[in-house]
């Protein structure tokens, strides 16, 4: 029954198309009765657009429906009107009234700056209602096409076969970093992006433009909202996991907004596989300001300070498995004694200056300082016990081994960035010239000890690491680009990006090209191409051993073909076929949920697949979408004649669903469903190695992989909005996270449970169970 519902919804997306009708008209000047060529004609919803020809005429083909049409031209008052399109419609002559041209007036161009097919977008109103852990912005990205993840505890996401280290994130134009020392993701708590301040999110899953660089897979651009309200506005919210408040107002030429968050999600973490005393805390404050200096220039300010602490006193871990020795479910229990502490503190200050020198020249200058400190402090022991019957764990219990884990790690990152971008813009094209300089000081201190003892089990190989590395990295980038339109239906966005990195002493040049063709308002086609270089940073440097190889950047080359079809004003279908060539990469594996790069050799590989998404409004003002992605990503040692093998993040099939609806007769009551399904990631097997006194130990085998079970998670929410006097609102919500209580596998614990068999048992490590969350938000 539940599958038939999804099929029914999918069919509705496809069959809601209607017969196309023609909308036409002619635009002339009220003053001279002369036709106006190059007027911008936009019909919404759907942002269907065109430009008038030399005779002032325009023609659009659209499905039946109600629309708003707007026609604008430099020096004239904008024309706006509502229309109902049931048959072919001719608007006749539309007369625009001349108006005085201000110096700061934006030139209306006949070409599209960025068609919707280029980047996926998430709106603030959808983010706030999407049920997910901590109501987190970056965790919401996992619902977008081409994005995969099998860890709801972490904000990390993977794009088209790459790991999270290959993605770059910008907040109000400033680059931000994700924590580096995370092990399972649960230590992260909230991310740095405050959902109460977000206005818009753009996500580039590949072939992103020249102004973005330094990573191989994707770009996430998050913009905060700048208030124009001269009255105080904001919100106060609270649920069982976190609280937050925001306040904004415009004082003359000065706009200010501030947000505060506090989270202590101990209730949720108590449902995790490892039981213990969880004491996570998170607090941050962010201030956003904009000051309009004059009619042609303004300045932005962003201040962030965040403190995250994660304290855990683990007590017990229980793992269940079945063996060929009988029908009973076996159990391995680990009894812990000790503590694990993690902290992540971030400060950031960014200033952005924007200046219109004239109608054609625009300057965008940014300067930022980003500082983060992470630390791990752990000292605990574990005792491993085997029980042949999980229902009666004390019957026939055997001691396997003991372990000791001591960690005293820290990471300090100081990053200074300045960039300047000059734009020259006419009604025919836009030229872009930019420069970017970044200084990064990275101090990585490692002090780890791990050991196991016992005669009844295979042991994990002992580990002792103690070192301190300081890296001082200077990066310079220069780029230029052009955006123009030819033949009225072809939009071209291309350019070159030059980069230099002092750590690798490399000079790289990256050509980028994006072509979109819109033969009519219903169809847009896309071709994207680009070279992308990723210089080594924390994860690669921590894995690197001096003398192994010369440090050098990884490289990817993107090829993308896309198609967007608007079969109804509020419904679109997007399809994208891609091939990502990986001529030089580091392979990696995971150990205790950490990404470890293999830096003693280079690999080559590829990622290919397609993304398909149906998006629209099943109910007025509520966006929904259904997506499917196919991925095939493989690698082999560079220059080898061996067959390609699957990469670790080769999640072949993924389905992303986000549905919203209103209750009949109660429009203020809304339901929200977020569902993620994915075939399994891969994991690394273990092999036996011989140590001192011929003792056998377990060691990760990067070349040997297996596939984890399928991942499926559904989060459901029910919300109600009540409008109060004065326009303020109260939103009440109830959420069920992991509705079906799926026991998704994060990885495996490897233990020898049988005395007479010299190989380990693979025991699943389970993510979070079902959790009920209640919340309320007051907006004014």
């Amino acid at each position: 029954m539940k599958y038939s519902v999804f099929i029914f919804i999918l069919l509705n997306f496809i069959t809601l198309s209607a017969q196309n009708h023609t909308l036409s008209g002619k635009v002339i000047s009220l003053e001279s009765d002369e036709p106006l060529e190059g007027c911008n004609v936009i019909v919404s919803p759907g942002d269907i657009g065109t430009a008038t020809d030399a005779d002032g005429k325009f023609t659009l083909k659209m499905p039946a429906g109600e629309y708003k049409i707007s026609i604008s031209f430099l020096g004239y008052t904008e024309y706006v009107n509502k229309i109902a399109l049931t048959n072919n419609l001719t608007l006749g002559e539309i007369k625009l009234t001349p108006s005085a041209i201000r110096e700061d007036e934006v030139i209306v161009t006949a070409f599209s700056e960025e068609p919707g097919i280029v980047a996926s977008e998430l709106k603030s109103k959808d983010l706030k209602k999407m049920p997910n852990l901590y109501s987190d912005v970056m965790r919401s990205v996992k619902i977008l096409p081409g994005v995969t993840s099998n860890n709801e505890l972490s904000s990390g996401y993977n794009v088209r076969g790459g790991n999270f280290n290959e993605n770059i994130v910008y907040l109000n134009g400033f680059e931000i970093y994700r924590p580096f020392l995370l092990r399972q993701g649960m230590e992260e708590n909230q991310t740095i992006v405050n959902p109460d301040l977000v206005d818009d999110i753009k996500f580039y899953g590949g072939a992103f433009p020249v102004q973005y660089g330094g990573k191989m897979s994707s770009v996430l651009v998050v913009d905060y909202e700048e208030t124009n309200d001269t009255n105080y506005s904001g919100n106060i919210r609270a649920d069982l996991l976190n609280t937050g408040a925001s306040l904004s107002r415009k004082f003359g030429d000065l706009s200010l907004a501030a947000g505060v968050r506090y989270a202590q999600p101990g209730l949720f973490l108590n449902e995790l596989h490892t039981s213990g005393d969880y004491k996570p805390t998170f607090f941050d404050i962010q201030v956003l300001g904009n000051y309009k200096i004059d009619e042609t220039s303004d300045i932005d300010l962003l201040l962030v300070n965040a403190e995250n602490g994660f304290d855990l006193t683990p007590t017990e871990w229980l793992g269940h498995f079945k063996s060929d020795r009988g029908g009973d479910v076996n159990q391995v229990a680990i009894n812990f004694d000790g503590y694990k502490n993690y902290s992540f503190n971030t400060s950031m200050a960014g200033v952005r200056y924007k200046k219109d020198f004239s109608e054609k020249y625009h300057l965008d200058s940014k300067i930022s300082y980003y500082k983060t400190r992470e630390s791990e402090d752990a000292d605990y022991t574990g005792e491993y016990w085997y029980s042949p019957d999980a229902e009666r764990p004390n019957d026939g219990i055997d001691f396997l081994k003991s372990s000791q884990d001591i960690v005293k790690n820290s990471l300090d990152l100081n990053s200074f960035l300045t960039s300047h971008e000059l734009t020259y813009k006419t009604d025919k094209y836009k030229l872009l010239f930019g420069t970017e300089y970044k200084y990064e000081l990275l101090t990585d201190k490692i002090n780890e000890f791990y050991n196991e003892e016992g005669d009844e089990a295979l042991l994990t190989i002992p580990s002792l690491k103690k070192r301190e590395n300081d890296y001082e990295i200077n990066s310079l980038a220069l780029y230029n680009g052009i955006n123009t339109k030819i033949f009225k239906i072809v939009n071209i966005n291309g350019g070159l990006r030059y980069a230099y990195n002092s750590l690798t002493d490399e000079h790289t040049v990256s050509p980028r090209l994006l072509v979109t063709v819109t033969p009519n308002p219903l169809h847009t086609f896309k071709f994207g191409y680009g070279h992308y270089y990723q210089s080594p940073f924390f994860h690669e440097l921590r894995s690197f051993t001096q003398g192994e190889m010369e440090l050098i950047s990884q490289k990817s080359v993107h090829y993308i073909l896309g198609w967007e079809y608007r079969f109804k004003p509020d419904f679109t279908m997007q399809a994208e076929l891609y091939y990502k060539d990986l001529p030089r990469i580091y392979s990696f594996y995971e150990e205790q949920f950490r990404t470890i790069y293999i830096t003693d050799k280079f690999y080559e590989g590829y990622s290919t697949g397609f993304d398909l998404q149906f998006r629209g409004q099943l109910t007025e003002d509520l966006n929904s979408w259904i997506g499917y992605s196919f991925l095939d990503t493989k690698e082999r040692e560079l220059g080898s004649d061996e067959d390609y093998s699957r990469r670790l993040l080769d999640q072949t099939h993924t389905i992303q669903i986000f549905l919203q609806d209103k209750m009949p007769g109660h429009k203020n009551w809304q339901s929200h469903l977020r569902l993620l399904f994915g075939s399994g990631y891969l994991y690394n097997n273990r092999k036996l190695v011989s140590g001192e006194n011929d003792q056998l130990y377990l060691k990760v085998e990067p070349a040997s992989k297996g596939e984890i079970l399928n991942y499926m998670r559904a989060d459901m929410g029910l919300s109600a909005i009540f409008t109060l006097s004065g326009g303020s609102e109260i939103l009440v919500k109830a959420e069920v996270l992991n509705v079906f209580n799926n026991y998704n596998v994060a990885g495996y614990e490897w233990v020898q449970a049988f005395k007479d068999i010299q190989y380990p048992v693979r025991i699943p490590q389970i993510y979070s169970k079902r959790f009920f969350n209640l919340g309320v938000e007051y907006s004014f």
Side-chain angles (χ1 to χ4, degrees), residues 2 5-6 9 126 128-135 143 239 241 657-661 663 670-676 712-720 732-742 769-775:
K2 59 183 179 181
V5 173
F6 292 144
I9 293 171
D126 294 327
K128 288 188 175 182
K129 296 176 182 178
M130 186 180 296
N132 70 68
L133 184 59
Y134 307 135
S135 301
I143 202 72
D239 58 36
L241 300 177
I657 297 176
F658 178 53
L659 301 177
Q660 298 189 96
D661 201 0
M663 295 183 63
Q670 302 172 4
S671 59
H672 320 276
L673 172 67
R674 173 179 176 264
L675 185 144
L676 298 174
M712 203 280 277
R713 179 183 176 90
D715 300 318
M716 183 176 293
L718 180 66
S719 65
V732 180
K733 68 175 182 178
E735 295 177 336
V736 185
L737 305 179
N738 196 2
V739 175
F740 304 117
N741 203 28
N742 286 80
K769 303 176 184 178
R770 183 190 293 122
F771 182 79
F772 296 90
N773 188 28
L774 298 173

Side-chain angles (χ1 to χ4, degrees), residues 295-416:
E295 291 298 319
T296 63
S297 59
D298 61 287
I299 189 167
D300 295 334
L301 173 68
L302 178 63
L303 301 174
V304 177
N305 186 70
E307 298 180 359
N308 181 29
F310 182 87
D311 297 340
L312 167 64
T313 303
T315 56
E316 186 180 51
W317 180 89
L318 299 177
H320 299 137
F321 64 98
K322 295 190 72 172
S323 67
D324 54 7
R325 296 196 166 196
D328 292 334
V329 177
N330 308 148
Q331 174 179 287
V332 168
I334 309 176
N335 298 323
F336 295 105
D337 183 29
Y339 66 89
K340 295 173 66 176
N341 297 329
Y342 168 82
S343 65
F344 171 58
N345 300 322
T346 297
S347 299
M348 175 185 170
V351 177
R352 185 175 187 175
Y353 174 71
K354 292 172 287 186
K355 170 73 174 179
D356 291 323
F357 292 105
S358 67
E359 295 176 354
K360 296 182 178 181
Y361 290 95
H362 174 79
L363 176 67
D364 188 350
S365 294
K366 290 173 284 192
I367 183 171
S368 66
Y369 173 69
Y370 191 100
K371 179 179 181 180
T372 182
R373 177 175 177 79
E374 290 182 73
S375 66
E376 292 180 291
D377 182 12
D379 188 348
Y380 61 95
T381 59
E383 293 184 345
Y384 291 69
W385 298 85
Y386 166 69
S387 300
D389 188 349
E391 295 185 358
R392 294 183 294 274
N394 294 324
D395 294 350
I397 189 171
D398 287 327
F399 175 77
L400 296 177
K401 62 181 180 180
S402 63
S403 66
Q404 183 178 20
D405 201 342
I406 300 175
V407 178
K408 309 288 182 182
N409 295 338
S410 67
L411 173 71
D412 290 277
L413 170 64
N414 291 270
S415 175
F416 170 82

